[in-house]
Amino acid sequence: MTNTTTIPTLAGDGSFTAYRAVPAGTLKAAIVVIQEIFGVNAGIRRKCDTLAEAGYLAIAPDLFWRLEPGIELDPDVKPEFERALELMGQFDQDKGIADIEATIRAARGELGDGTKVGAVGYCLGGRLAFMTAARTDIDASVGYYGVGIDGLLGEKHAIANPVLLHVPEEDHFVDKAAQAAMHAGLDDHPKVTIYDYAGEDHGFATEFGERRSDASAKLADERTAAFFAEHLG
């Protein structure tokens, strides 16, 4: 079952919508699905649906609601891609983390405080997944091709729960120096695991479109599924 829910902000200054996919059988845990710069589009909704099929309550908050509520963009359409970059430039990431935290609290409120909640994010969401691990009480976090994580390494000491990062080696938004810095800063962190994907570029695990690289996407998703099975139950 899928629907749209409304979540109040922690600051009490508004509310935002979230796509919600509910498993048909026994519920294992909840997972917050963090959007790319393209909004909660068909690809992100499909990520939620797949997680629900695996037994998780999946919730994808509309993090661009302060800029343009409900926007959905296609990365394969140039004007829409350019619009996504504009939105990224205007996006307040600290408020985005607050909205993710509100989503975590909403999930715990619905399912009970004993329920574990994870997060998985893509692109911008991959970066926000790392920030969520450092700034909230999320139980487990996965980031796909997060941008600028090398600039967030000062927050790694605050990561208390498991983190998994998928890093394509040919990511044109994350150069080799940034990747090297991520490994240097995180390889010895007891809670962080990094997988590299040779020959792959940014967006390789998208559900739809030209960016998808099927074999590597399936491998990354299998690793994510095993990670959540281990850490969320």
Side-chain angles (χ1 to χ4, degrees):
M1 182 182 74
T2 64
N3 56 43
T4 300
T5 189
T6 301
I7 299 171
T9 65
L10 298 179
D13 58 349
S15 62
F16 54 93
T17 62
Y19 179 80
R20 186 171 173 275
V22 185
T26 303
L27 190 147
K28 299 176 182 177
I31 296 176
V32 179
V33 179
I34 311 174
Q35 67 179 65
E36 296 181 281
I37 61 175
F38 309 108
V40 182
N41 61 8
I44 293 298
R45 293 194 299 273
R46 181 59 192 147
K47 297 288 189 188
C48 291
D49 297 346
T50 300
L51 288 168
E53 290 164 8
Y56 299 101
L57 170 65
I59 308 173
D62 176 12
L63 298 182
F64 281 173
W65 68 275
R66 291 180 177 86
L67 303 173
E68 189 170 338
I71 191 167
E72 297 182 35
L73 299 169
D74 183 341
D76 295 334
V77 177
K78 187 176 180 181
E80 295 190 25
F81 185 89
E82 291 171 352
R83 176 60 179 147
L85 292 175
E86 290 175 1
L87 290 167
M88 173 61 194
Q90 299 166 15
F91 177 62
D92 186 322
Q93 295 183 31
D94 292 332
K95 289 183 178 178
I97 293 296
D99 291 341
I100 291 168
E101 185 169 7
T103 307
I104 295 167
R105 292 193 188 181
R108 289 209 171 105
E110 178 179 350
L111 303 178
D113 288 339
T115 301
K116 289 188 174 181
V117 180
V120 58
Y122 305 85
C123 175
L124 166 63
R127 174 185 174 87
L128 294 175
F130 184 89
M131 295 168 71
T132 296
R135 300 185 188 184
T136 77
D137 63 351
I138 198 80
D139 292 295
S141 300
V142 179
Y144 285 72
Y145 28 87
V147 178
I149 291 176
D150 55 306
L152 297 169
L153 296 175
E155 299 190 36
K156 68 178 183 178
H157 66 282
I159 295 174
N161 291 318
V163 174
L164 173 60
L165 299 175
H166 299 292
V167 179
E169 292 185 356
E170 303 306 320
D171 192 330
H172 64 286
F173 291 115
V174 183
D175 63 22
K176 300 288 183 166
Q179 293 175 40
M182 289 170 64
H183 277 287
L186 297 170
D187 280 349
D188 62 351
H189 195 296
K191 296 294 185 180
V192 180
T193 300
I194 300 176
Y195 286 117
D196 299 303
Y197 297 82
E200 298 298 353
D201 198 353
H202 193 84
F204 74 88
T206 188
E207 289 294 308
F208 310 115
E210 298 172 1
R211 298 177 301 157
R212 183 175 174 86
S213 182
D214 199 56
S216 292
K218 288 179 178 177
L219 175 60
D221 289 346
E222 288 168 1
R223 288 167 166 169
T224 295
F227 177 83
F228 281 140
E230 178 180 358
H231 298 297
L232 298 181

